Amino acid sequence: MEPLRKVSLAEKFALFDDAWNPRVVGAWDGQQVKLAKFRGEFIWHHHEHEDEVFFVVRGAVRMGLRDPEERDMLLQEGELLIVPRGVEHKPAAEGEEAWVMMLESAGTLNTGNVRGERTRDTLERI
Amino acid sequence: MEPLRKVSLAEKFALFDDAWNPRVVGAWDGQQVKLAKFRGEFIWHHHEHEDEVFFVVRGAVRMGLRDPEERDMLLQEGELLIVPRGVEHKPAAEGEEAWVMMLESAGTLNTGNVRGERTRDTLERI
């Protein structure tokens, strides 16, 4: 077993600058802890089989939700949202930049059902 | 499907005061987000089948680790540690109180392999 290492979110976020490119910082029980910087808007997508947890570490995130009953949701620092499988969503930074910790099954693709230029098939482990 | 609700960690931590009694604030893909206040020391235990993620929201946590090669680990605010299944550990607040977010499989028992007065078989959902 590899030695236990603690993970400082601030240290890890300092290691990269590009937006919408999640890094993996830890794994447990088939799940992964991913960190990403959000700038501007992402794309509409959903995940067929995976729920996703978004936790705002810095800044704020506007989660677009298509269902008119849900409306957009504004997430501030220290707030989290669980987006269940099948629910269309479009994350966006509210303001200049947001730092987000995501918790999800290891195989979850960042763009879900929508393959395109923003799809990241392999994620860097940092 | 129940409506999506965001979870403010600060609001949830304000709802309870007792230590070592985790509350469930969300669930995804067989996993749960649990919040707990730590005061003083917990007990030595391990989990046979589950890994555990500890993320320090406020204060600091000293994670006791029996393996002499691991030593104790001091976790500050904004730091996380994944304790793999089988690894004996003893969480403790460093200082007066720590607020901790735990991520783990829904069935994970707080005292792992050690049943006793600190075991919480059912957790409140808040």
Side-chain angles (χ1 to χ4, degrees), chain A residues 22-38:
Chain A
R23 267 67 172 187
V24 177
V25 299
W28 85 101
D29 267 357
Q31 302 288 315
Q32 287 180 329
V33 183
K34 301 175 182 177
L35 303 182
K37 293 183 177 179
F38 290 6

Side-chain angles (χ1 to χ4, degrees), chain A residues 6-7 29 74 80 85, chain B residues 6-7 29 74 79-80 85:
Chain A
K6 68 176 184 173
V7 173
D29 267 357
L74 183 63
L80 67 85
R85 61 196 71 185
Chain B
K6 68 176 186 175
V7 173
D29 267 355
L74 183 62
E79 294 183 338
L80 66 86
R85 59 196 72 185

Side-chain angles (χ1 to χ4, degrees), chain B residues 33-47:
Chain B
V33 182
K34 300 174 182 176
L35 303 183
K37 293 183 176 179
F38 290 6
R39 284 196 287 271
E41 295 192 342
F42 201 55
I43 57 165
W44 284 107
H45 68 284
H46 72 271
H47 304 273

Side-chain angles (χ1 to χ4, degrees), chain A residues 61-113:
Chain A
V61 167
R62 181 169 298 277
M63 188 64 73
L65 297 163
R66 266 204 212 283
D67 183 336
E69 291 190 18
E70 297 289 0
R71 314 282 173 80
D72 286 3
M73 209 167 281
L74 183 63
L75 306 172
Q76 306 283 0
E77 216 170 286
E79 294 183 339
L80 67 85
L81 179 69
I82 301 178
V83 178
R85 61 196 71 185
V87 171
E88 273 203 294
H89 56 287
K90 184 180 75 172
E94 178 84 0
E96 209 166 303
E97 182 175 83
W99 293 5
V100 179
M101 175 165 70
M102 286 169 298
L103 313 166
E104 54 194 32
S105 293
T108 309
L109 197 64
N110 66 327
T111 55
N113 62 317

